[in-house]
């Protein structure tokens, strides 16, 4: 897609993070605890934990909350969470991937299925929409770190695959398995990033008008409201005009 990746707006809508801050922190705590349990409790020795902490910090999660989540894992406390991915279709045939962490697979599956059904969607089998996405590493920097050429050169040196630069900032893509190494190399060259995380990047998109976006947002909001759901990704594309109208609604 030309310009900025409009599909990413689903995770970055104005006011959304303020409204869901407590819930957001809870999701980050769960990810940090799981990452710390699976590996070393030192972020410098545990790439997954390092990325989880970085993402939490970029969303203004207090240091105390982060340390508490790590200590919970180190002390052997906390539930044993299972990571599950659900795939399905939203209104107008938009592909939806739901990533969850749960201590009760049956409860989560039932809730996710019900949410899809109530909001004009349809939960499918694993793999039903996954082929429309690539698993990628996504690193974002503000425009102030340098011009497009400077960032492109730094990204190439770091081993990244692609860069999208706009007046709003720089979006750097890399292979999912290279995210930690690329992010570390870029940090040495450009400083701290705004965000570093693994994402599902759509390879095909579905264009939506305002009505379509409004229906899709109802489904996404309902899914994100579930405590077991960590992240929701879709393959919608919408014009800047439609996104602006959505923000005002």
């Amino acid at each position: 897609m030309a310009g900025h990746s409009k599909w990413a707006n689903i995770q970055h809508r104005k006011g959304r993070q303020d409204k869901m801050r407590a819930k957001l922190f809870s999701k980050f705590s769960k990810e940090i605890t799981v990452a710390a349990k699976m590996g070393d409790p030192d972020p410098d020795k545990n790439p997954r934990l390092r990325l989880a902490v970085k993402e939490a910090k970029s969303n203004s999660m207090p240091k105390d909350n982060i340390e508490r989540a790590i200590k919970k894992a180190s002390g052997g406390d906390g539930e044993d969470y299972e990571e599950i991915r659900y795939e399905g279709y939203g209104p107008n045939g938009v592909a939806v991937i739901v990533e969850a962490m749960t201590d009760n697979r049956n409860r989560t599956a039932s809730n996710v299925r019900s949410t899809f059904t109530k909001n004009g969607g349809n939960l499918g089998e694993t793999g039903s929409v996954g082929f429309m996405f690539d698993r990628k590493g996504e690193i974002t920097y503000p425009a102030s770190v340098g011009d497009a050429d400077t960032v492109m050169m730094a990204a190439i040196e770091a081993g990244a695959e692609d860069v999208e630069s706009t007046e709003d900032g720089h979006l750097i893509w890399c292979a999912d398995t290279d995210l930690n190494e690329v992010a570390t190399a870029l940090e040495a060259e450009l400083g701290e990033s705004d965000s570093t995380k693994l994402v599902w990047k759509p390879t095909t998109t579905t264009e939506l008008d305002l009505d379509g976006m409004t229906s899709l947002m109802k489904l996404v909001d309902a899914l994100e409201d579930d405590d077991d759901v960590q992240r929701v990704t879709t393959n919608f594309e919408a014009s800047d005009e439609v996104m602006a109208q959505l923000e005002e609604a």
Side-chain angles (χ1 to χ4, degrees):
M1 284 179 283
H4 65 284
S5 297
K6 298 183 181 72
W7 62 269
N9 282 324
I10 204 159
Q11 293 170 7
H12 301 290
R13 279 172 290 140
K14 188 176 68 177
R16 179 94 181 125
Q17 288 179 346
D18 290 336
K19 184 176 142 191
M20 291 189 68
R21 194 158 295 276
K23 195 172 282 287
L24 205 60
F25 288 172
S26 172
K27 293 178 193 290
F28 287 139
S29 291
K30 195 186 285 188
E31 168 62 24
I32 289 168
T33 299
V34 168
K37 261 189 174 184
M38 289 175 67
D40 196 290
D42 180 354
D44 291 334
K45 299 175 185 174
N46 183 336
R48 176 170 174 173
L49 178 58
R50 181 173 177 269
L51 293 175
V53 168
K54 190 174 181 60
E55 187 63 14
K57 284 181 176 176
S58 73
N59 283 276
S60 305
M61 183 167 170
K63 187 179 178 183
D64 287 351
N65 294 38
I66 293 171
E67 290 177 350
R68 200 178 306 125
I70 294 175
K71 280 178 184 171
K72 190 189 253 190
S74 304
D77 298 329
E79 298 82 355
D80 286 322
Y81 291 111
E82 181 181 6
E83 295 179 271
I84 307 174
R85 186 174 82 245
Y86 300 96
E87 301 179 20
Y89 288 94
N92 301 294
V94 173
V96 182
I97 291 180
V98 180
E99 294 170 270
M101 277 187 188
T102 180
D103 55 359
N104 186 325
R105 177 189 279 260
N106 291 336
R107 177 194 67 219
T108 307
S110 175
N111 289 346
V112 169
R113 184 179 300 280
S114 173
T115 301
F116 266 91
T117 303
K118 288 176 182 174
N119 292 278
N122 181 39
L123 184 64
E125 299 295 322
T126 300
S128 59
V129 304
F131 66 93
M132 289 187 256
F133 298 80
D134 285 333
R135 190 65 163 160
K136 293 291 181 184
E138 178 198 273
I139 305 164
T140 60
Y141 274 94
S144 57
V145 299
D147 59 25
D149 289 341
T150 300
V151 174
M152 176 66 81
M153 288 305 297
I156 291 171
E157 287 289 322
E161 294 178 343
D162 194 18
V163 181
E164 297 174 28
S165 293
T166 69
E167 60 184 22
D168 298 323
H170 308 280
L171 186 58
I172 300 163
W173 300 103
C174 66
D176 57 341
T177 52
D178 295 341
L179 180 57
N180 190 53
E181 290 78 7
V182 172
T184 301
L186 281 170
E187 207 167 285
E189 190 68 27
L190 301 174
E192 189 86 6
S193 66
D194 278 349
S195 173
T196 299
K197 59 188 173 184
L198 287 167
V199 299
W200 292 99
K201 183 182 182 185
T203 53
T204 60
T205 57
T206 299
E207 180 82 27
L208 294 180
D209 57 14
L210 183 58
D211 286 343
M213 281 301 302
T214 302
S215 297
L216 179 62
M217 287 302 102
K218 284 180 181 174
L219 169 61
V220 172
D221 287 349
L223 286 168
E224 288 184 340
D225 207 38
D226 189 317
D227 290 337
D228 294 336
V229 173
Q230 290 292 102
R231 191 172 293 109
V232 180
T233 307
T234 84
N235 72 336
F236 85 84
E237 185 172 1
S239 67
D240 289 336
E241 290 75 19
V242 167
M243 291 307 296
Q245 287 175 301
L246 192 68
E247 295 284 4
E248 293 166 6

